[in-house]
Amino acid sequence: MTQRKGIILAGGTGTRLYPLTTAVSKQLLPVYDKPMIFYPLSVLMLAGIREIAVITNPEYMQQFGQLLGDGSQWGLAISYIAQASPDGLAQAYLLAEDFLAGAPSAMILGDNIFYGNDLRSLLKRADEEPEGGTIFGYHVADPERYGVIGLDAGGRVTSLEEKPKIPPSNYAITGLYFLDKTAPALARQVEKSPRGEYEITSLLNMYLESARLRVVRLGRGHAWLDTGTHGSLLDAGNFVRTLENRQGLQIGSPEDVAFQLGWIDRGALRDRAKSYGKSAYGQSLLRRVNETF
């Protein structure tokens, strides 16, 4: 099976976070002790994905390149794709078609944070599906604010609706999509919405109509955080701070994940830790270096 490639969609204008994002990409803002983009990057890494493209505005490509480089420090290969105009999530598959080169993909939104003890096993299971698509649903109190998944008694997807007035369930579509190699070809068939966007729901509905769409429901032991507003950004930072201070373990750290997966050795982890100087993040990585297993 062709190795799945990753896409981080880190474009857009971030207007809901003005004035914070007037001169910087939303995905470069801090979520407690690390840049926002570290969290979705770590999720793709947990899925075993090592070749990743970051899609962002042309004016931010240099900043992302300065932060992430070519990814080799984490055992990755990172490339960059310019998005001149943010025209909907499905547009990412058109922009990334050459990068994917016929490979299946996992796309994650650059402002989404996922956390859960068995998250890695759920991601690996989705990665191992050769055909069709897998989406992740999360139970929310206010589903009318999201794209919502309709489910039958057996937990199979029956419908996908964008911000419905009468939601068919409480399960929101999260910003993580595992799709097969046909995604770019299907994305070319998506018609622009009245808002002028290539909507991801339209693309996912094509998979649903051909009975090739699966859903993984994230349960009580998982957290899904969207950092698109000032309040949710603060909530996410407090969530990460509380868990890290309590457990002494990093959340959303590419260095820690790469070390766990054996993509970098203890010496490389030490070098990365030292590169962060006396910061709390660097000190946390140093403690990881000195742990015995």
Side-chain angles (χ1 to χ4, degrees):
M1 186 177 71
T2 305
Q3 181 70 36
R4 191 178 300 269
K5 297 181 181 181
I7 302 168
I8 302 177
L9 189 52
T13 56
T15 53
R16 289 188 298 165
L17 284 170
Y18 276 3
L20 294 177
T21 51
T22 303
V24 67
S25 168
K26 171 174 62 176
Q27 291 82 11
L28 292 171
L29 294 177
V31 177
Y32 185 47
D33 59 350
K34 61 190 76 70
M36 186 185 297
I37 198 170
F38 274 22
Y39 297 89
L41 175 62
S42 297
V43 170
L44 295 182
M45 293 171 68
L46 284 172
I49 295 170
R50 303 184 72 167
E51 193 170 349
I52 297 169
V54 176
I55 299 178
T56 190
N57 305 22
E59 63 267 33
Y60 298 138
M61 290 183 69
Q62 183 177 354
Q63 293 172 314
F64 279 106
Q66 184 176 355
L67 175 67
L68 305 176
D70 64 3
S72 58
Q73 69 273 29
W74 300 308
L76 304 175
I78 296 178
S79 54
Y80 302 90
I81 299 172
Q83 183 184 39
S85 174
D87 295 327
L89 304 187
Q91 182 194 32
Y93 296 97
L94 304 177
L95 297 173
E97 185 168 13
D98 289 344
F99 163 75
L100 293 174
S105 62
M107 183 174 78
I108 187 168
L109 304 188
D111 62 355
N112 276 215
I113 296 174
F114 292 84
Y115 177 79
N117 186 49
D118 63 341
L119 182 61
R120 182 180 174 188
S121 63
L122 296 180
L123 295 170
K124 289 296 292 180
R125 202 173 307 155
D127 178 55
E128 290 167 358
E129 293 285 354
E131 302 293 335
T134 301
I135 57 175
F136 293 77
Y138 190 79
H139 196 281
V140 296
D142 48 355
E144 63 279 358
R145 293 181 51 235
Y146 302 91
V148 179
I149 306 167
L151 301 164
D152 65 15
R156 292 177 290 270
V157 185
T158 58
S159 65
L160 301 171
E161 300 181 50
E162 194 66 34
K163 297 181 180 178
K165 292 182 178 179
I166 304 177
S169 80
N170 283 80
Y171 279 92
I173 306 171
T174 67
L176 178 59
Y177 318 91
F178 281 68
L179 301 182
D180 65 17
K181 64 182 181 181
T182 66
L186 292 175
R188 284 197 297 273
Q189 300 176 37
V190 173
E191 296 182 0
K192 281 191 175 183
S193 70
R195 296 191 302 171
E197 295 184 349
Y198 298 98
E199 293 187 347
I200 191 69
T201 307
S202 299
L203 174 58
L204 296 176
N205 268 315
M206 293 181 186
Y207 281 92
L208 177 59
E209 289 163 5
S210 60
R212 297 190 301 139
L213 186 67
R214 297 168 294 274
V215 61
V216 175
R217 287 184 284 180
L218 300 174
R220 295 175 184 268
H222 296 91
W224 169 55
L225 304 171
D226 178 344
T227 55
T229 67
H230 297 100
S232 60
L233 180 62
L234 180 62
D235 289 343
N238 285 330
F239 175 82
V240 173
R241 178 179 183 272
T242 299
L243 285 177
E244 288 189 352
N245 286 351
R246 181 70 172 175
Q247 298 180 330
L249 299 172
Q250 278 292 329
I251 296 174
S253 166
E255 284 85 6
D256 191 48
V257 174
F259 183 56
Q260 288 180 50
L261 298 179
W263 296 352
I264 61 173
D265 61 19
R266 197 177 295 269
L269 179 62
R270 182 181 294 108
D271 291 341
R272 293 298 300 161
K274 290 180 178 179
S275 74
Y276 292 114
K278 296 181 179 180
S279 69
Y281 182 64
Q283 294 304 305
S284 174
L285 293 179
L286 276 178
R287 288 193 296 273
R288 183 77 162 131
V289 169
N290 296 325
E291 283 183 1
T292 55
F293 301 94

